[in-house]
Amino acid sequence: MAAGILSDRAIQALFDAGKLSSGRALDADQIQPASLDLRLGARAYRVRASFLPGPSARVEDKLQRLSMHEIDLSEGAVLETGCVYMVQLLESLALPPEISASANPKSSTGRLDIFTRVMTDYGQEFDKIAPGYTGPLWLEVSPRTFPIVARTGSRLSQIRFRQGHAVLDEDELSRLHSAETLVASDTPNVSGGGIALSIDLMGQGPDRLIGYRGKHHTAVIDVDKRAAHDVFDFWEPLHNRGSADLILDPDEFYILVSRESVHVPPLYAAEMTPFDPLVGEFRVHYAGFFDPGFGHSDAGGAGSRAVLEVRSHEVPFILEHGQIVGRLIYERMLERPGALYGSGLGSNYQAQGLKLSKHFRA
C-alpha cells in the first residue's frame, strides 16, 4: 500500500464517501491542497484546565466535571486571554482503518498567539487522530496574548490525513534538496530527521525591521475579519539597531522570520517540528503545516520565508542572527493536488517575508 499525504481530491472523496462529515455545507475554500480547515461549532465551554479524555472517556464526559460555563458562539463571543475553552467542531470523522490524521493551528491562528489543540474521544495525545477513528472532533482554544472574537464557523485549526508512514529520511531529504532546493542555504543542515531553518535578525527595509512583539491589554481581535485592525494597536515593531541579536523576554510573544526562503515542491508537504529545548528554552512556530506549492515559483511563491511565532520560557534568552530555530520535515503526497498553495487559491502567505496575520492593515 502506497504511503503519503492525502490531497485535496482525496479529502473531497472522503466527504463524498461519508468518511468525513460536517454540520453544515463546506466553505468554498475549506479544502486546501493537503489539508482541511476545521470550523468551530455552536458552543464553547470555559473549563478549569486543559485535559485529555484518556482511553476510557469521551470529551463530553470530562466536560460534565470540568466545565465552568457555556458560551453561545452563534452570534460571536469574546474568548479571554489566559482562559481555556473547549469547542466541538462542525466536522466529524469515520476514518477508514488505513487513514490517520494530525492537526495544527492555522498560520493566522499561530500569528495571533492563539493556542489550539484538537482532541478526540478516548484520545491520549493532542493533535493526533488514530487510524480508523470514528467520532466527533473537539478543539481546545486558549488565547495567550490578545482576546479574540470567534463564532460558529470560525476556522482556527486544520487537519491533514495520511496513509502509512511517508516522512523522508535524511538521505532522501538531502537528495530532494539537491534536486529542488528546499531551503535557500549554501550549507543546508540536514539532521534530526529534518532540514534546518535559522533566524533573520539583520532586518528588512531602510529601518531594518526584524519583527514584532505583542502588546498587552489590547482590544479584541475578530478572527474572521481581514485587514480590520491597526498594527500599532497590537504590536511593537522591533529593529536592528546595530547588533544582530534579540533578547527574548520570558513569556513575551514575538513574530520573527526565517533567514532562508522555503520551497515545498508539488508532490510533497512539509511541517515545522517543535524545536529541541536542549538547544534553547524557547518555542518556535505554533502553526506547522506547509502545503504543496508553498514557495514554488510556478505558484507565485518564489522567495517565501517562514514566519516564526516565538515565545521564551522561564528565563531570558538571546537569539543571534543565523541561529537555528527549527526544522522542516517533508512527507510525500499520494498524488499531486488539484491546486497548489497560492496558485489561484487566494493564499494569504505565498511569497511572504516578515508578515503579520491577515487581520492587520498593511
Side-chain angles (χ1 to χ4, degrees):
M1 183 174 60
I5 300 293
L6 273 62
S7 72
D8 46 9
R9 296 188 185 95
I11 294 171
Q12 182 61 60
L14 288 177
F15 274 106
D16 295 342
K19 303 301 182 183
L20 286 172
S21 57
S22 181
R24 70 184 195 192
L26 293 178
D27 299 339
D29 60 346
Q30 194 174 342
I31 298 177
Q32 297 295 310
S35 58
L36 171 72
D37 290 352
L38 299 171
R39 299 174 296 177
L40 300 183
R43 289 176 296 279
Y45 300 88
R46 167 78 191 282
V47 294
R48 291 159 49 194
S50 175
F51 65 88
L52 277 167
S56 59
R58 300 176 304 161
V59 175
E60 202 167 8
D61 300 332
K62 290 287 184 76
L63 279 178
Q64 292 179 8
R65 181 165 57 90
L66 297 173
S67 176
M68 297 168 65
H69 63 266
E70 182 179 324
I71 301 166
D72 183 1
L73 295 180
S74 59
E75 300 299 325
V78 174
L79 305 183
E80 300 283 358
T81 57
C83 299
V84 181
Y85 303 88
M86 291 295 304
V87 186
Q88 186 170 347
L89 297 169
L90 290 177
E91 288 71 38
S92 58
L93 305 180
L95 293 179
E98 70 276 10
I99 300 296
S100 64
S102 60
N104 250 318
K106 287 175 57 64
S107 293
S108 295
T109 305
R111 294 184 203 198
L112 293 178
D113 200 19
I114 306 169
F115 190 62
T116 70
R117 301 189 288 196
V118 169
M119 69 175 74
T120 64
D121 288 343
Y122 312 107
Q124 300 181 74
E125 293 182 278
F126 292 110
D127 289 333
K128 304 294 183 187
I129 294 90
Y133 172 75
T134 296
L137 296 173
W138 293 80
L139 188 68
E140 175 187 306
V141 182
S142 183
R144 303 293 302 278
T145 297
F146 312 118
I148 62 171
V149 172
R151 57 188 56 79
T152 304
S154 294
R155 291 147 59 173
L156 300 180
S157 188
Q158 57 195 156
I159 190 170
R160 182 172 279 179
F161 302 93
R162 56 176 51 80
Q163 180 173 284
H165 180 77
V167 175
L168 273 62
D169 63 29
E170 291 179 15
D171 290 340
E172 293 170 325
L173 192 57
S174 295
R175 289 195 295 270
L176 182 62
H177 176 74
S178 296
E180 297 278 4
T181 310
L182 303 179
V183 300
S185 173
D186 294 333
T187 56
N189 181 314
V190 179
S191 62
I195 188 165
L197 288 180
S198 64
I199 196 76
D200 182 358
L201 294 177
M202 294 302 293
Q204 302 180 15
D207 59 353
R208 304 183 76 181
L209 180 70
I210 62 172
Y212 298 89
R213 178 166 50 207
K215 292 184 175 182
H216 299 283
H217 314 298
T218 67
V220 299
I221 293 176
D222 191 317
V223 298
D224 296 323
K225 291 186 177 179
R226 300 187 182 203
H229 305 283
D230 187 277
V231 169
F232 299 105
D233 289 340
F234 295 87
W235 298 99
E236 174 192 353
L238 303 172
H239 304 273
N240 179 345
R241 302 192 182 279
S243 177
D245 56 27
L246 175 67
I247 297 178
L248 302 176
D249 291 323
D251 293 322
E252 296 289 325
F253 180 67
Y254 300 83
I255 295 291
L256 304 171
V257 70
S258 69
R259 185 174 61 158
E260 303 85 3
S261 56
V262 173
H263 175 215
V264 184
L267 288 174
Y268 297 86
E271 183 174 356
M272 180 82 81
T273 60
F275 195 52
D276 184 354
L278 296 177
V279 183
E281 189 59 33
F282 60 94
R283 163 86 184 203
V284 172
H285 217 72
Y286 286 91
F289 287 164
F290 292 78
D291 271 321
F294 182 88
H296 190 60
S297 57
D298 290 349
S304 295
R305 307 279 191 96
V307 168
L308 308 167
E309 303 99 25
V310 180
R311 179 182 287 278
S312 184
H313 299 302
E314 304 299 339
V315 296
F317 188 84
I318 297 178
L319 280 180
E320 297 183 346
H321 178 74
Q323 184 170 341
I324 293 175
V325 292
R327 293 189 180 276
L328 288 172
I329 61 170
Y330 281 74
E331 296 182 78
R332 296 179 187 84
M333 297 290 298
L334 278 173
E335 62 178 349
R336 182 185 172 112
L340 297 178
Y341 186 89
S343 182
L345 293 179
S347 306
N348 293 297
Y349 305 119
Q350 186 71 297
Q352 70 180 358
L354 174 64
K355 187 175 183 180
L356 294 171
S357 73
K358 62 189 178 185
H359 307 90
F360 299 98
R361 292 187 288 272

